[in-house]
Each structure stands twice: as C-alpha cells, then as structure tokens.
Amino acid sequence: MVRRGRLKVTYDNDLTQYVVQIDATEKGLGLKDAYVSFKEPWLKTFGLTAGVFDRPFGFEIMYSSSSRETPERSRLFQSLFPGERDLGLKL
C-alpha cells in the first residue's frame, strides 16, 4: 500500500513560478498542487498566485510532514480543512 506517492515539478525564474504536484497511490492519480505565481517586478512587494494550492491559513497547513513535529496534522486542522487544498487566488 502506498500512502503518499508524490511527484512535484517546479519551474522558477525571476518573475514567475509554475508548480504541478501529483499523488500516485493504489486509488489512482490525483492532482495535489497546480498553480502559477507571478511576482511584481518593480518594487518586489507583492505577488499573485492562482490555481490549486494549500489553504493560506495558519502555519500547520503550509508545512510539509517532514517539517512538523508530528507527521499528521492536528484534529482541529483535519476537521476544519479536509483535503487541505483550495482552488482560488492569493494576493
């Protein structure tokens, strides 16, 4: 049984970043991340991200399991944010 079989491809340059991450398990293929980020080139003070990405709430959702104290997220975040991903824009 494969719990997390993920492949992430990222292209990053000065102004943009493209990310695609798939999850391959025995249940099939799933899309985890697919987004594009644009950085404002003049003042470098803000950026725009659009697509499917982690919900921008708190610290626990954005950290990977290798960076957290425990491999699983807390019950609070599992019940409030099932799936942990969202489709939208972030400024």
Side-chain angles (χ1 to χ4, degrees):
M1 183 170 142
V2 177
R3 181 172 179 163
R4 291 182 181 124
R6 296 186 182 162
L7 174 68
K8 185 174 185 177
V9 178
T10 303
Y11 173 75
D12 197 0
N13 63 21
D14 291 338
L15 299 177
T16 59
Q17 179 184 28
Y18 302 95
V19 176
V20 174
Q21 181 180 13
I22 60 170
D23 188 21
T25 61
E26 71 276 354
K27 297 175 186 174
L29 288 175
L31 187 65
K32 294 302 271 183
D33 288 329
Y35 61 88
V36 61
S37 293
F38 299 101
K39 300 170 201 155
E40 185 264 319
W42 299 285
L43 299 174
K44 298 186 184 344
T45 56
F46 68 91
L48 178 71
T49 303
V52 178
F53 51 90
D54 287 327
R55 294 178 192 218
F57 182 83
F59 295 106
E60 192 171 348
I61 292 178
M62 301 298 280
Y63 285 155
S64 72
S65 58
S66 63
S67 300
R68 290 190 308 263
E69 290 84 16
T70 60
E72 296 298 323
R73 289 179 173 81
S74 65
R75 282 280 183 208
L76 175 71
F77 281 98
Q78 287 179 4
S79 62
L80 286 177
F81 304 109
E84 302 149 7
R85 302 291 199 270
D86 199 11
L87 173 66
L89 294 171
K90 177 173 68 170
L91 181 63

